[in-house]
Short mmCIF file of all heavy atoms in Angstrom, two decimals:
data_model
loop_
_atom_site.label_atom_id
_atom_site.label_comp_id
_atom_site.label_asym_id
_atom_site.label_seq_id
_atom_site.Cartn_x
_atom_site.Cartn_y
_atom_site.Cartn_z
N LYS A 1 0.78 -1.23 0.02
CA LYS A 1 0.02 0.01 0.02
C LYS A 1 0.87 1.23 -0.02
O LYS A 1 1.91 1.30 0.63
CB LYS A 1 -0.91 0.02 1.25
CG LYS A 1 -1.91 -1.12 1.31
CD LYS A 1 -2.86 -1.06 0.22
CE LYS A 1 -3.83 -2.17 0.31
NZ LYS A 1 -4.60 -2.41 -0.95
N THR A 2 0.43 2.31 -0.65
CA THR A 2 1.21 3.47 -0.87
C THR A 2 0.54 4.76 -0.23
O THR A 2 0.97 5.37 0.59
CB THR A 2 1.54 3.71 -2.28
OG1 THR A 2 0.41 3.65 -3.11
CG2 THR A 2 2.63 2.72 -2.74
N GLY A 3 -0.67 5.01 -0.81
CA GLY A 3 -1.43 6.20 -0.35
C GLY A 3 -1.82 7.19 -1.41
O GLY A 3 -1.82 6.85 -2.62
N THR A 4 -2.08 8.38 -0.99
CA THR A 4 -2.50 9.43 -1.88
C THR A 4 -1.66 10.65 -1.72
O THR A 4 -1.41 11.10 -0.61
CB THR A 4 -4.01 9.85 -1.56
OG1 THR A 4 -4.78 8.71 -1.69
CG2 THR A 4 -4.47 10.95 -2.51
N VAL A 5 -1.17 11.23 -2.86
CA VAL A 5 -0.37 12.45 -2.84
C VAL A 5 -1.40 13.60 -2.93
O VAL A 5 -2.33 13.55 -3.80
CB VAL A 5 0.60 12.56 -4.02
CG1 VAL A 5 1.34 13.86 -4.03
CG2 VAL A 5 1.53 11.33 -3.95
N LYS A 6 -1.28 14.67 -2.07
CA LYS A 6 -2.16 15.76 -2.00
C LYS A 6 -1.42 16.98 -2.31
O LYS A 6 -0.21 17.01 -2.36
CB LYS A 6 -2.79 15.91 -0.64
CG LYS A 6 -3.64 14.67 -0.29
CD LYS A 6 -4.14 14.78 1.14
CE LYS A 6 -5.00 13.49 1.47
NZ LYS A 6 -5.46 13.58 2.88
N LYS A 7 -2.11 18.10 -2.59
CA LYS A 7 -1.56 19.46 -2.89
C LYS A 7 -0.84 19.54 -4.15
O LYS A 7 0.16 20.21 -4.27
CB LYS A 7 -0.68 19.85 -1.63
CG LYS A 7 -1.54 20.06 -0.41
CD LYS A 7 -0.74 20.71 0.73
CE LYS A 7 -1.60 20.86 1.95
NZ LYS A 7 -0.88 21.56 3.09
N LEU A 8 -1.13 18.64 -5.12
CA LEU A 8 -0.59 18.86 -6.43
C LEU A 8 -1.44 19.82 -7.23
O LEU A 8 -2.55 20.17 -6.73
CB LEU A 8 -0.65 17.41 -7.19
CG LEU A 8 0.18 16.40 -6.58
CD1 LEU A 8 -0.04 15.05 -7.26
CD2 LEU A 8 1.67 16.75 -6.60
N THR A 9 -1.10 20.20 -8.38
CA THR A 9 -1.87 21.09 -9.21
C THR A 9 -3.14 20.36 -9.69
O THR A 9 -3.01 19.25 -10.17
CB THR A 9 -1.07 21.65 -10.38
OG1 THR A 9 0.16 22.22 -9.88
CG2 THR A 9 -1.86 22.64 -11.22
N ALA A 10 -4.32 21.00 -9.55
CA ALA A 10 -5.54 20.34 -9.91
C ALA A 10 -5.63 20.17 -11.40
O ALA A 10 -5.18 20.98 -12.22
CB ALA A 10 -6.72 21.16 -9.45
N ASN A 11 -6.15 18.94 -11.77
CA ASN A 11 -6.35 18.62 -13.26
C ASN A 11 -5.15 18.74 -14.07
O ASN A 11 -5.22 19.28 -15.16
CB ASN A 11 -7.55 19.44 -13.79
CG ASN A 11 -8.90 19.15 -13.10
OD1 ASN A 11 -9.24 17.97 -12.89
ND2 ASN A 11 -9.54 20.23 -12.69
N ALA A 12 -4.00 18.46 -13.55
CA ALA A 12 -2.74 18.65 -14.25
C ALA A 12 -2.11 17.30 -14.66
O ALA A 12 -2.33 16.27 -14.03
CB ALA A 12 -1.77 19.47 -13.32
N ASP A 13 -1.38 17.33 -15.76
CA ASP A 13 -0.64 16.19 -16.18
C ASP A 13 0.74 16.10 -15.46
O ASP A 13 1.47 17.11 -15.43
CB ASP A 13 -0.45 16.22 -17.74
CG ASP A 13 -1.71 16.07 -18.45
OD1 ASP A 13 -2.57 15.26 -18.01
OD2 ASP A 13 -1.95 16.80 -19.46
N TYR A 14 1.04 14.98 -14.97
CA TYR A 14 2.37 14.71 -14.27
C TYR A 14 3.00 13.49 -14.89
O TYR A 14 2.27 12.64 -15.45
CB TYR A 14 2.14 14.53 -12.79
CG TYR A 14 2.05 15.79 -11.99
CD1 TYR A 14 0.71 16.42 -11.86
CD2 TYR A 14 3.06 16.31 -11.30
CE1 TYR A 14 0.56 17.51 -11.09
CE2 TYR A 14 2.92 17.43 -10.52
CZ TYR A 14 1.73 18.02 -10.38
OH TYR A 14 1.57 19.16 -9.66
N ASN A 15 4.28 13.31 -14.71
CA ASN A 15 4.99 12.16 -15.04
C ASN A 15 5.45 11.55 -13.65
O ASN A 15 5.56 12.24 -12.64
CB ASN A 15 6.25 12.50 -15.78
CG ASN A 15 5.99 13.26 -17.06
OD1 ASN A 15 5.40 12.63 -17.92
ND2 ASN A 15 6.39 14.51 -17.08
N TYR A 16 5.70 10.25 -13.70
CA TYR A 16 6.12 9.55 -12.51
C TYR A 16 7.20 8.50 -12.92
O TYR A 16 7.27 8.02 -14.05
CB TYR A 16 5.01 8.94 -11.63
CG TYR A 16 4.48 7.68 -12.31
CD1 TYR A 16 5.08 6.37 -12.13
CD2 TYR A 16 3.32 7.72 -13.10
CE1 TYR A 16 4.47 5.31 -12.61
CE2 TYR A 16 2.80 6.57 -13.73
CZ TYR A 16 3.34 5.35 -13.48
OH TYR A 16 2.88 4.23 -14.07
N MET A 17 8.06 8.19 -11.91
CA MET A 17 9.08 7.21 -12.17
C MET A 17 9.37 6.48 -10.84
O MET A 17 9.53 7.17 -9.77
CB MET A 17 10.43 7.89 -12.63
CG MET A 17 11.54 7.00 -12.76
SD MET A 17 13.02 7.83 -13.41
CE MET A 17 13.34 9.10 -12.08
N TRP A 18 9.30 5.13 -10.86
CA TRP A 18 9.62 4.32 -9.74
C TRP A 18 11.16 3.98 -9.85
O TRP A 18 11.58 3.49 -10.89
CB TRP A 18 8.82 3.06 -9.63
CG TRP A 18 7.45 3.21 -9.18
CD1 TRP A 18 6.25 3.17 -9.89
CD2 TRP A 18 7.04 3.38 -7.77
NE1 TRP A 18 5.16 3.36 -9.03
CE2 TRP A 18 5.61 3.44 -7.82
CE3 TRP A 18 7.67 3.56 -6.58
CZ2 TRP A 18 4.83 3.71 -6.59
CZ3 TRP A 18 6.99 3.75 -5.43
CH2 TRP A 18 5.58 3.83 -5.37
N PHE A 19 11.91 4.18 -8.77
CA PHE A 19 13.34 3.92 -8.80
C PHE A 19 13.68 2.98 -7.65
O PHE A 19 13.20 3.23 -6.49
CB PHE A 19 14.12 5.24 -8.68
CG PHE A 19 15.57 5.02 -8.52
CD1 PHE A 19 16.39 4.78 -9.63
CD2 PHE A 19 16.19 5.22 -7.25
CE1 PHE A 19 17.72 4.69 -9.46
CE2 PHE A 19 17.55 5.04 -7.10
CZ PHE A 19 18.37 4.81 -8.20
N ASN A 20 14.41 1.94 -7.90
CA ASN A 20 14.82 1.00 -6.84
C ASN A 20 16.16 1.42 -6.28
O ASN A 20 17.15 1.35 -7.05
CB ASN A 20 14.90 -0.40 -7.37
CG ASN A 20 15.21 -1.45 -6.30
OD1 ASN A 20 16.00 -1.12 -5.43
ND2 ASN A 20 14.63 -2.56 -6.34
N PRO A 21 16.30 2.02 -5.14
CA PRO A 21 17.58 2.48 -4.65
C PRO A 21 18.59 1.40 -4.27
O PRO A 21 19.73 1.65 -4.13
CB PRO A 21 17.19 3.28 -3.39
CG PRO A 21 15.93 2.65 -2.91
CD PRO A 21 15.25 2.24 -4.17
N ILE A 22 18.11 0.21 -4.22
CA ILE A 22 18.97 -0.89 -3.90
C ILE A 22 19.73 -1.37 -5.11
O ILE A 22 20.89 -1.63 -5.15
CB ILE A 22 18.22 -2.05 -3.26
CG1 ILE A 22 17.65 -1.52 -1.87
CG2 ILE A 22 19.06 -3.27 -2.99
CD1 ILE A 22 16.54 -2.36 -1.37
N THR A 23 18.89 -1.51 -6.24
CA THR A 23 19.57 -2.03 -7.51
C THR A 23 20.10 -0.87 -8.34
O THR A 23 20.85 -1.02 -9.32
CB THR A 23 18.54 -2.84 -8.34
OG1 THR A 23 17.47 -1.96 -8.67
CG2 THR A 23 18.04 -3.99 -7.48
N GLY A 24 19.57 0.33 -8.06
CA GLY A 24 19.96 1.53 -8.87
C GLY A 24 19.26 1.62 -10.21
O GLY A 24 19.68 2.29 -11.10
N LYS A 25 18.05 0.86 -10.33
CA LYS A 25 17.34 0.85 -11.63
C LYS A 25 15.96 1.46 -11.54
O LYS A 25 15.32 1.38 -10.51
CB LYS A 25 17.25 -0.66 -12.07
CG LYS A 25 18.57 -1.28 -12.33
CD LYS A 25 18.36 -2.66 -12.93
CE LYS A 25 19.71 -3.35 -13.00
NZ LYS A 25 20.43 -3.42 -14.09
N ILE A 26 15.61 2.07 -12.63
CA ILE A 26 14.23 2.59 -12.78
C ILE A 26 13.43 1.32 -13.12
O ILE A 26 13.73 0.54 -14.00
CB ILE A 26 14.14 3.55 -13.97
CG1 ILE A 26 14.93 4.85 -13.61
CG2 ILE A 26 12.62 3.96 -14.28
CD1 ILE A 26 15.13 5.80 -14.71
N THR A 27 12.32 1.17 -12.34
CA THR A 27 11.47 -0.05 -12.55
C THR A 27 10.20 0.27 -13.29
O THR A 27 9.58 -0.68 -13.86
CB THR A 27 11.12 -0.70 -11.21
OG1 THR A 27 10.37 0.28 -10.44
CG2 THR A 27 12.34 -1.08 -10.44
N GLU A 28 9.73 1.47 -13.36
CA GLU A 28 8.53 1.82 -14.06
C GLU A 28 8.48 3.34 -14.28
O GLU A 28 8.93 4.07 -13.44
CB GLU A 28 7.30 1.38 -13.28
CG GLU A 28 5.99 1.59 -13.91
CD GLU A 28 4.82 1.18 -13.07
OE1 GLU A 28 4.99 0.33 -12.16
OE2 GLU A 28 3.70 1.77 -13.26
N GLN A 29 7.94 3.73 -15.41
CA GLN A 29 7.67 5.19 -15.74
C GLN A 29 6.27 5.29 -16.32
O GLN A 29 5.82 4.38 -16.97
CB GLN A 29 8.70 5.65 -16.65
CG GLN A 29 10.13 5.64 -16.15
CD GLN A 29 11.09 6.14 -17.17
OE1 GLN A 29 11.17 7.37 -17.40
NE2 GLN A 29 11.97 5.38 -17.79
N GLY A 30 5.78 6.49 -16.18
CA GLY A 30 4.42 6.72 -16.82
C GLY A 30 3.88 8.14 -16.56
O GLY A 30 4.69 9.06 -16.14
N THR A 31 2.64 8.34 -16.82
CA THR A 31 1.99 9.62 -16.66
C THR A 31 0.67 9.42 -15.92
O THR A 31 0.18 8.33 -15.92
CB THR A 31 1.75 10.34 -18.04
OG1 THR A 31 0.90 9.46 -18.78
CG2 THR A 31 3.04 10.59 -18.80
N PHE A 32 0.18 10.51 -15.37
CA PHE A 32 -1.18 10.46 -14.75
C PHE A 32 -1.68 11.95 -14.72
O PHE A 32 -0.93 12.89 -14.93
CB PHE A 32 -1.05 9.92 -13.25
CG PHE A 32 -0.35 10.82 -12.35
CD1 PHE A 32 -0.89 11.79 -11.53
CD2 PHE A 32 1.08 10.60 -12.19
CE1 PHE A 32 -0.24 12.56 -10.67
CE2 PHE A 32 1.81 11.39 -11.27
CZ PHE A 32 1.15 12.36 -10.52
N LYS A 33 -2.99 12.01 -14.50
CA LYS A 33 -3.63 13.34 -14.43
C LYS A 33 -4.15 13.40 -13.01
O LYS A 33 -4.86 12.45 -12.54
CB LYS A 33 -4.77 13.48 -15.45
CG LYS A 33 -5.35 14.85 -15.51
CD LYS A 33 -6.37 15.01 -16.62
CE LYS A 33 -6.76 16.42 -16.80
NZ LYS A 33 -6.10 17.08 -17.98
N THR A 34 -3.99 14.49 -12.31
CA THR A 34 -4.47 14.71 -10.98
C THR A 34 -5.99 14.94 -10.98
O THR A 34 -6.55 15.33 -11.97
CB THR A 34 -3.82 15.87 -10.30
OG1 THR A 34 -4.07 17.09 -11.03
CG2 THR A 34 -2.30 15.61 -10.11
N SER A 35 -6.58 14.74 -9.88
CA SER A 35 -8.03 14.94 -9.66
C SER A 35 -8.26 16.45 -9.67
O SER A 35 -7.40 17.28 -9.57
CB SER A 35 -8.54 14.27 -8.43
OG SER A 35 -8.07 15.03 -7.29
N ALA A 36 -9.58 16.83 -9.53
CA ALA A 36 -10.02 18.26 -9.41
C ALA A 36 -9.50 18.76 -8.08
O ALA A 36 -9.42 20.07 -7.99
CB ALA A 36 -11.53 18.37 -9.59
N ALA A 37 -9.30 17.96 -7.17
CA ALA A 37 -8.81 18.36 -5.84
C ALA A 37 -7.30 18.39 -5.73
O ALA A 37 -6.68 18.75 -4.72
CB ALA A 37 -9.40 17.44 -4.75
N GLY A 38 -6.59 17.99 -6.87
CA GLY A 38 -5.10 18.04 -6.83
C GLY A 38 -4.57 16.84 -6.10
O GLY A 38 -3.43 16.93 -5.54
N THR A 39 -5.17 15.70 -6.26
CA THR A 39 -4.65 14.49 -5.62
C THR A 39 -4.35 13.42 -6.66
O THR A 39 -4.92 13.47 -7.76
CB THR A 39 -5.70 13.90 -4.53
OG1 THR A 39 -6.86 13.54 -5.22
CG2 THR A 39 -5.99 15.00 -3.50
N TRP A 40 -3.64 12.41 -6.24
CA TRP A 40 -3.33 11.20 -7.01
C TRP A 40 -3.21 10.02 -6.11
O TRP A 40 -2.46 10.08 -5.15
CB TRP A 40 -2.08 11.43 -7.88
CG TRP A 40 -1.68 10.21 -8.68
CD1 TRP A 40 -2.48 9.59 -9.54
CD2 TRP A 40 -0.43 9.62 -8.76
NE1 TRP A 40 -1.81 8.53 -10.20
CE2 TRP A 40 -0.49 8.56 -9.68
CE3 TRP A 40 0.79 9.81 -8.10
CZ2 TRP A 40 0.57 7.69 -10.00
CZ3 TRP A 40 1.90 8.97 -8.42
CH2 TRP A 40 1.72 7.94 -9.37
N ASP A 41 -3.98 8.99 -6.41
CA ASP A 41 -3.82 7.71 -5.61
C ASP A 41 -2.63 6.95 -6.21
O ASP A 41 -2.75 6.49 -7.40
CB ASP A 41 -5.07 6.95 -5.69
CG ASP A 41 -6.26 7.59 -5.02
OD1 ASP A 41 -6.06 8.21 -4.03
OD2 ASP A 41 -7.45 7.45 -5.47
N ILE A 42 -1.64 6.85 -5.50
CA ILE A 42 -0.42 6.13 -5.95
C ILE A 42 -0.68 4.68 -6.16
O ILE A 42 -1.30 4.05 -5.21
CB ILE A 42 0.79 6.30 -5.02
CG1 ILE A 42 0.98 7.80 -4.78
CG2 ILE A 42 2.04 5.64 -5.54
CD1 ILE A 42 1.91 8.04 -3.53
N PRO A 43 -0.31 4.06 -7.26
CA PRO A 43 -0.41 2.52 -7.42
C PRO A 43 0.39 1.82 -6.39
O PRO A 43 1.37 2.35 -5.86
CB PRO A 43 0.08 2.29 -8.77
CG PRO A 43 0.21 3.58 -9.50
CD PRO A 43 0.27 4.56 -8.45
N GLU A 44 0.04 0.60 -6.09
CA GLU A 44 0.79 -0.19 -5.10
C GLU A 44 2.25 -0.27 -5.64
O GLU A 44 2.51 -0.27 -6.80
CB GLU A 44 0.15 -1.52 -4.87
CG GLU A 44 -1.19 -1.42 -4.16
CD GLU A 44 -1.79 -2.72 -3.74
OE1 GLU A 44 -1.21 -3.76 -4.10
OE2 GLU A 44 -2.78 -2.67 -3.09
N LYS A 45 3.11 -0.61 -4.70
CA LYS A 45 4.52 -0.72 -5.04
C LYS A 45 5.07 -2.07 -4.69
O LYS A 45 4.46 -2.89 -4.10
CB LYS A 45 5.40 0.34 -4.35
CG LYS A 45 5.37 0.15 -2.85
CD LYS A 45 6.42 1.05 -2.22
CE LYS A 45 6.60 0.73 -0.73
NZ LYS A 45 7.13 -0.60 -0.51
N ALA A 46 6.35 -2.30 -5.03
CA ALA A 46 7.05 -3.55 -4.66
C ALA A 46 7.24 -3.60 -3.17
O ALA A 46 7.11 -2.58 -2.45
CB ALA A 46 8.38 -3.59 -5.39
N THR A 47 7.59 -4.76 -2.65
CA THR A 47 7.78 -4.93 -1.19
C THR A 47 9.13 -4.63 -0.68
O THR A 47 9.63 -5.19 0.26
CB THR A 47 7.28 -6.31 -0.71
OG1 THR A 47 7.98 -7.28 -1.46
CG2 THR A 47 5.76 -6.48 -0.89
N CYS A 48 9.89 -3.91 -1.44
CA CYS A 48 11.20 -3.52 -1.10
C CYS A 48 11.32 -2.01 -1.07
O CYS A 48 10.40 -1.35 -1.55
CB CYS A 48 12.28 -4.06 -1.87
SG CYS A 48 12.28 -3.59 -3.61
#
């Protein structure tokens, strides 16, 4: 479980990148659009 990011710009396009600090590798990249309240529900992550 990860949670929700708040206080982002409402209805805005953002990019995201998951980075594994142990292996030093980017594991996933993508884009998302924030809600009208400026929030984003973060997808679940790996267990490390």
